[in-house]
Protein backbone atom coordinates (compact mmCIF):
# COMPACT_ATOMS: atom_id res chain seq x y z
CA UNK A 1 0.00 0.00 0.00
CA UNK A 2 1.28 3.45 -0.93
CA UNK A 3 1.85 5.74 2.03
CA UNK A 4 0.67 9.34 1.92
CA UNK A 5 2.51 11.65 4.30
CA UNK A 6 0.90 15.07 4.76
CA UNK A 7 4.15 16.98 5.31
CA UNK A 8 5.70 15.33 2.24
CA UNK A 9 2.65 16.13 0.10
CA UNK A 10 2.70 19.76 1.22
CA UNK A 11 6.44 20.04 0.43
CA UNK A 12 5.91 18.56 -3.02
CA UNK A 13 3.09 21.03 -3.71
CA UNK A 14 5.45 23.85 -2.77
CA UNK A 15 7.91 22.54 -5.40
CA UNK A 16 5.12 22.24 -7.99
CA UNK A 17 3.82 25.74 -7.31
CA UNK A 18 7.31 27.22 -7.59
CA UNK A 19 7.79 25.37 -10.90
CA UNK A 20 4.55 26.84 -12.23
CA UNK A 21 5.58 30.33 -11.07
CA UNK A 22 9.03 30.02 -12.69
CA UNK A 23 7.47 28.95 -15.96
CA UNK A 24 4.57 31.41 -15.89
CA UNK A 25 1.96 28.65 -16.19
CA UNK A 26 -1.48 29.45 -14.82
CA UNK A 27 -3.66 26.80 -13.21
CA UNK A 28 -7.22 26.34 -12.03
CA UNK A 29 -9.22 23.50 -10.54
CA UNK A 30 -12.76 22.19 -10.49
CA UNK A 31 -12.86 19.94 -7.47
CA UNK A 32 -15.64 17.76 -6.18
CA UNK A 33 -14.18 14.87 -4.14
CA UNK A 34 -11.23 16.95 -2.92
CA UNK A 35 -13.42 19.96 -2.06
CA UNK A 36 -10.75 22.56 -2.83
CA UNK A 37 -7.81 20.72 -1.25
CA UNK A 38 -5.67 21.03 -4.39
CA UNK A 39 -6.24 24.77 -4.71
CA UNK A 40 -5.51 25.10 -1.01
CA UNK A 41 -2.22 23.23 -1.34
CA UNK A 42 -1.19 25.45 -4.25
CA UNK A 43 -1.99 28.63 -2.34
CA UNK A 44 0.11 27.55 0.64
CA UNK A 45 3.12 28.81 -1.35
CA UNK A 46 3.96 32.50 -1.39
CA UNK A 47 3.52 34.01 -4.85
CA UNK A 48 0.83 31.53 -5.89
CA UNK A 49 -1.52 34.38 -6.77
CA UNK A 50 0.56 34.80 -9.92
CA UNK A 51 -0.50 31.38 -11.18
CA UNK A 52 -3.76 30.28 -9.51
CA UNK A 53 -6.45 32.11 -11.45
CA UNK A 54 -9.31 30.77 -9.35
CA UNK A 55 -10.98 27.50 -8.50
CA UNK A 56 -14.39 25.89 -8.29
CA UNK A 57 -15.64 23.54 -5.59
CA UNK A 58 -18.50 21.75 -7.30
CA UNK A 59 -19.70 19.24 -4.75
CA UNK A 60 -23.08 18.58 -6.39
CA UNK A 61 -24.03 17.83 -9.98
CA UNK A 62 -25.88 21.13 -10.35
CA UNK A 63 -22.75 23.08 -9.43
CA UNK A 64 -20.72 21.24 -12.06
CA UNK A 65 -23.34 22.06 -14.68
CA UNK A 66 -23.49 25.71 -13.57
CA UNK A 67 -19.71 25.96 -14.13
CA UNK A 68 -19.77 24.54 -17.65
CA UNK A 69 -19.88 20.74 -17.42
CA UNK A 70 -22.49 19.58 -19.95
CA UNK A 71 -25.46 17.92 -18.21
CA UNK A 72 -25.54 15.24 -20.91
CA UNK A 73 -21.99 14.14 -20.01
CA UNK A 74 -23.08 13.51 -16.41
CA UNK A 75 -26.29 11.82 -17.57
CA UNK A 76 -24.55 9.57 -20.10
CA UNK A 77 -21.39 8.63 -18.16
CA UNK A 78 -22.41 9.43 -14.53
CA UNK A 79 -20.88 12.06 -12.32
CA UNK A 80 -18.12 9.60 -11.39
CA UNK A 81 -16.41 9.02 -14.72
CA UNK A 82 -13.33 10.00 -16.69
CA UNK A 83 -15.60 11.88 -19.11
CA UNK A 84 -16.99 14.05 -16.31
CA UNK A 85 -13.48 14.69 -14.94
CA UNK A 86 -12.33 15.68 -18.44
CA UNK A 87 -15.30 18.04 -18.85
CA UNK A 88 -14.54 19.56 -15.44
CA UNK A 89 -10.87 20.14 -16.32
CA UNK A 90 -11.74 21.72 -19.67
CA UNK A 91 -14.55 23.86 -18.22
CA UNK A 92 -12.43 25.40 -15.46
CA UNK A 93 -9.50 26.02 -17.81
CA UNK A 94 -11.85 27.78 -20.22
CA UNK A 95 -13.60 29.78 -17.48
CA UNK A 96 -10.31 31.18 -16.20
CA UNK A 97 -8.33 31.11 -19.48
CA UNK A 98 -5.69 29.07 -17.64
CA UNK A 99 -2.87 26.98 -19.08
CA UNK A 100 -3.78 24.05 -16.83
CA UNK A 101 -7.15 22.84 -15.60
CA UNK A 102 -7.66 20.03 -13.12
CA UNK A 103 -10.99 18.23 -12.71
CA UNK A 104 -11.55 15.67 -9.97
CA UNK A 105 -14.63 13.62 -9.11
CA UNK A 106 -15.18 10.41 -7.23
CA UNK A 107 -16.24 8.82 -4.01
CA UNK A 108 -14.08 8.83 -0.94
CA UNK A 109 -14.86 6.47 1.93
CA UNK A 110 -18.61 6.08 1.69
CA UNK A 111 -21.39 5.75 -0.86
CA UNK A 112 -22.72 9.09 -2.10
CA UNK A 113 -26.42 9.24 -1.16
CA UNK A 114 -27.11 11.65 -4.05
CA UNK A 115 -25.54 9.30 -6.64
CA UNK A 116 -25.64 5.80 -5.08
CA UNK A 117 -25.78 3.88 -8.37
CA UNK A 118 -22.52 5.46 -9.61
CA UNK A 119 -20.74 5.61 -6.27
CA UNK A 120 -17.83 3.24 -5.58
CA UNK A 121 -15.96 4.17 -2.39
CA UNK A 122 -12.28 4.86 -3.01
CA UNK A 123 -12.66 5.23 -6.78
CA UNK A 124 -11.64 8.71 -7.98
CA UNK A 125 -11.38 10.03 -11.53
CA UNK A 126 -9.29 13.05 -12.39
CA UNK A 127 -8.25 14.84 -15.53
CA UNK A 128 -5.50 17.32 -16.30
CA UNK A 129 -6.06 19.71 -19.18
CA UNK A 130 -2.80 21.30 -20.38
CA UNK A 131 -2.93 23.86 -23.18
CA UNK A 132 -5.69 22.01 -25.02
CA UNK A 133 -4.64 18.40 -24.34
CA UNK A 134 -6.54 16.39 -21.76
CA UNK A 135 -5.17 13.43 -19.83
CA UNK A 136 -7.48 11.38 -17.63
CA UNK A 137 -6.80 8.94 -14.83
CA UNK A 138 -8.48 6.63 -12.35
CA UNK A 139 -7.09 6.04 -8.89
CA UNK A 140 -8.47 3.49 -6.47
CA UNK A 141 -7.64 4.24 -2.87
CA UNK A 142 -7.55 1.87 0.07
CA UNK A 143 -9.65 2.65 3.13
CA UNK A 144 -8.25 5.78 4.75
CA UNK A 145 -8.60 6.94 8.37
CA UNK A 146 -10.52 10.16 7.56
CA UNK A 147 -11.67 12.58 4.83
CA UNK A 148 -8.49 14.66 4.96
CA UNK A 149 -6.40 11.55 4.34
CA UNK A 150 -8.49 10.76 1.24
CA UNK A 151 -8.21 14.33 -0.06
CA UNK A 152 -4.45 14.46 0.48
CA UNK A 153 -4.00 11.07 -1.20
CA UNK A 154 -5.93 12.19 -4.29
CA UNK A 155 -4.08 15.51 -4.32
CA UNK A 156 -0.77 13.62 -4.30
CA UNK A 157 -1.84 11.34 -7.16
CA UNK A 158 -2.78 14.43 -9.18
CA UNK A 159 0.45 16.25 -8.34
CA UNK A 160 2.47 13.23 -9.38
CA UNK A 161 0.74 12.97 -12.79
CA UNK A 162 0.85 16.73 -13.38
CA UNK A 163 4.58 16.80 -12.62
CA UNK A 164 5.16 13.95 -15.10
CA UNK A 165 3.12 15.76 -17.77
CA UNK A 166 5.01 19.02 -17.23
CA UNK A 167 8.29 17.22 -17.84
CA UNK A 168 7.03 16.40 -21.35
CA UNK A 169 5.64 19.86 -22.18
CA UNK A 170 7.84 22.52 -23.71
CA UNK A 171 7.85 25.17 -20.99
Amino acid sequence: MKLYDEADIRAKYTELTRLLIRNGLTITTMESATAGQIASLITDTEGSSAILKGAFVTYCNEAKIMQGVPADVIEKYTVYSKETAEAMAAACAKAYAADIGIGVTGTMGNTDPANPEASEPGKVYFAIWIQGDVHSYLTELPVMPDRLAYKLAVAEEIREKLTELLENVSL
Side-chain angles (χ1 to χ4, degrees):
M1 180 174 94
K2 187 172 182 178
L3 297 176
Y4 298 95
D5 176 72
E6 182 174 353
D8 184 52
I9 293 167
R10 289 184 182 283
K12 288 178 179 176
Y13 262 88
T14 296
E15 292 172 20
L16 172 64
T17 303
R18 288 180 179 154
L19 173 70
L20 295 172
I21 292 167
R22 275 194 311 275
N23 290 288
L25 292 171
T26 57
I27 189 167
T28 181
T29 66
M30 186 179 295
E31 301 178 61
S32 183
T34 49
Q37 185 69 57
I38 297 160
S40 178
L41 288 164
I42 291 168
T43 60
D44 284 347
T45 300
E46 190 173 319
S48 61
S49 62
I51 54 107
L52 184 74
K53 299 199 72 178
F56 297 110
V57 175
T58 55
Y59 222 58
C60 67
N61 295 355
E62 295 80 11
K64 291 171 186 66
I65 294 164
M66 286 173 58
Q67 300 307 331
V69 175
D72 62 327
V73 169
I74 294 172
E75 289 168 20
K76 183 174 181 180
Y77 300 103
T78 81
V79 67
Y80 305 127
S81 65
K82 78 176 187 74
E83 293 83 3
T84 297
E86 289 170 353
M88 292 169 72
C92 68
K94 179 181 178 184
Y96 285 107
D99 297 310
I100 302 165
I102 295 172
V104 58
T105 183
T107 309
M108 297 301 197
N110 62 319
T111 300
D112 175 2
N115 299 285
E117 69 291 339
S119 185
E120 292 183 53
K123 197 173 206 177
V124 179
Y125 295 89
F126 64 93
I128 302 170
W129 183 98
I130 299 181
Q131 299 170 336
D133 293 325
V134 69
H135 308 268
S136 53
Y137 306 90
L138 164 65
T139 188
E140 297 191 54
L141 301 169
V143 174
M144 299 280 189
D146 55 38
R147 304 271 308 164
L148 178 60
Y150 278 104
K151 291 191 288 186
L152 287 168
V154 172
E156 173 55 14
E157 294 294 319
I158 291 170
R159 186 214 53 82
E160 197 172 271
K161 294 298 184 189
L162 177 55
T163 300
E164 287 174 16
L165 290 169
L166 289 173
E167 289 171 0
N168 298 314
V169 171
S170 56
L171 301 176

